[in-house]
Amino acid sequence: MLLDTPVRLGVQIQPQHVQYSDIRDAVFRLEEMGVDILFNWDHFFPLYGDPDGEHFESWTMLAAWAEQTERVEFGALVNCNSYRGADLQADMARTIDHISKKGGDTGRFIFGTGSGWFQRDYDEYGYDFGTAGSRLNALATDLDRVVERWGKLNPAPTRKIPVMIGGKGEQKTLRIVARQADIWHSFVTPDELPHKLGVIENWAGTEGRDLSGLVVSNELKDRDESVADALYDAGTRLFTLGFSGPDWDYSLIERWLTWRDGKNA
């Protein structure tokens, strides 16, 4: 079922407790270091530290990254489906995709998305929080609309924009993964992965979809090389790492780039 791609390293720049100039500098340095993908997150307030500290919005930042960068892929880990209409999300993604196209290449945007969970975002910005089930139902419906809108836009996206979906719930989330995802992201342990992949494969049968191209993604934060090796052996090929400022620890990035390069040697 799994696509055996080279190992890639994605770094999630946490858009909190820093000035935007700090984020811009981090983007430049991480691309120069050879990171494969850059992510932010889609929230309106910090998730850690001072809850009222400095924080920046995801999509406008991603448009800036599209212009700033030359090689690296990028996106949100992950977008919240609840905050913007499905067709608007599709149009924003298509536009950022085109902004990121340099020369004769295709765009580099990854549409990472999820159903949302951080209630303060909803309450303070006036969105209906609903339930976990209602938000997942909306995600499933809206993803169909996103893909449909991509087929109508003029100009069309420069490529089939990869869809990345995060989560591990077996009744709804993994069915959405089986239906729409090119990349599945989770925090599950190596021991859990075979079962979860089996669930995805079963749902793919129900949805009538070939998942031979699915890329499995997982998180490295607070994990060591032994866990990363086990995740790799279980099929993971995209590894993400949360990265916080203002005291960016680039030695950590170097460590994981070295591990990545060893796997790809």
Side-chain angles (χ1 to χ4, degrees):
M1 181 180 76
L2 302 179
L3 183 64
D4 191 15
T5 63
V7 172
R8 292 186 293 165
L9 179 66
V11 175
Q12 184 189 51
I13 300 174
Q14 298 173 355
Q16 60 177 10
H17 307 310
V18 294
Q19 294 296 305
Y20 186 72
S21 58
D22 297 319
I23 294 174
R24 184 191 301 115
D25 291 346
V27 167
F28 177 81
R29 184 165 177 180
L30 291 166
E31 183 173 42
E32 287 290 299
M33 291 174 71
V35 166
D36 299 292
I37 305 173
L38 294 176
F39 296 108
N40 62 15
W41 65 38
D42 187 19
H43 295 287
F44 305 130
F45 301 96
L47 298 185
Y48 314 112
D50 179 2
D52 296 312
E54 296 161 317
H55 196 278
F56 293 98
E57 193 274 330
S58 173
W59 279 86
T60 45
M61 183 186 301
L62 293 172
W65 292 5
E67 192 64 60
Q68 175 185 346
T69 58
E70 297 288 335
R71 173 196 57 80
V72 72
E73 289 189 289
F74 63 96
L77 184 62
V78 289
N79 165 68
C80 178
N81 179 66
S82 305
Y83 302 157
R84 305 158 193 91
D87 295 271
L88 175 60
Q89 292 179 61
D91 205 338
M92 293 164 68
R94 180 282 310 255
T95 299
I96 291 176
D97 169 65
H98 275 266
I99 294 170
S100 69
K101 180 179 180 292
K102 303 294 172 70
D105 299 329
T106 61
R108 294 169 287 116
F109 181 71
I110 294 173
F111 185 65
T113 193
S115 60
W117 62 272
F118 191 41
Q119 188 166 355
R120 185 183 180 189
D121 286 345
Y122 288 80
D123 292 346
E124 294 215 24
Y125 276 58
Y127 300 108
D128 179 20
F129 189 56
T131 65
S134 69
R135 295 192 301 275
L136 281 166
N137 290 341
L139 176 64
T141 300
D142 289 349
L143 266 174
D144 289 342
R145 290 186 59 181
V146 166
V147 173
E148 181 181 4
R149 179 57 58 185
W150 281 338
K152 297 177 179 179
L153 290 168
N154 184 18
T158 70
R159 64 173 180 169
K160 181 187 182 301
I161 296 175
V163 174
M164 180 179 193
I165 298 174
K168 65 176 185 177
E170 297 182 7
Q171 295 305 309
K172 292 190 176 184
T173 301
L174 295 187
R175 182 169 189 174
I176 299 170
V177 170
R179 183 172 181 173
Q180 294 286 14
D182 302 290
I183 306 168
W184 168 53
H185 180 76
S186 76
F187 295 79
V188 302
T189 65
D191 290 343
E192 291 179 279
L193 262 179
H195 171 71
K196 295 296 184 182
L197 290 171
V199 172
I200 294 171
E201 192 163 16
N202 287 339
W203 279 126
T206 301
E207 294 291 338
R209 184 174 177 225
D210 175 15
L211 282 183
S212 59
L214 182 69
V215 174
V216 177
S217 172
N218 209 302
E219 173 65 25
L220 290 172
K221 188 174 176 61
D222 299 324
R223 289 170 162 173
D224 62 17
E225 285 84 351
S226 66
V227 178
D229 288 342
L231 287 167
Y232 175 88
D233 291 342
T236 304
R237 291 297 180 269
L238 172 57
F239 293 82
T240 66
L241 181 64
F243 197 47
S244 61
D247 299 320
W248 315 96
D249 181 7
Y250 289 97
S251 66
L252 185 63
I253 306 301
E254 291 282 7
R255 168 187 165 190
W256 286 111
L257 286 171
T258 298
W259 179 84
R260 177 202 67 183
D261 293 346
K263 288 297 184 188
N264 291 335

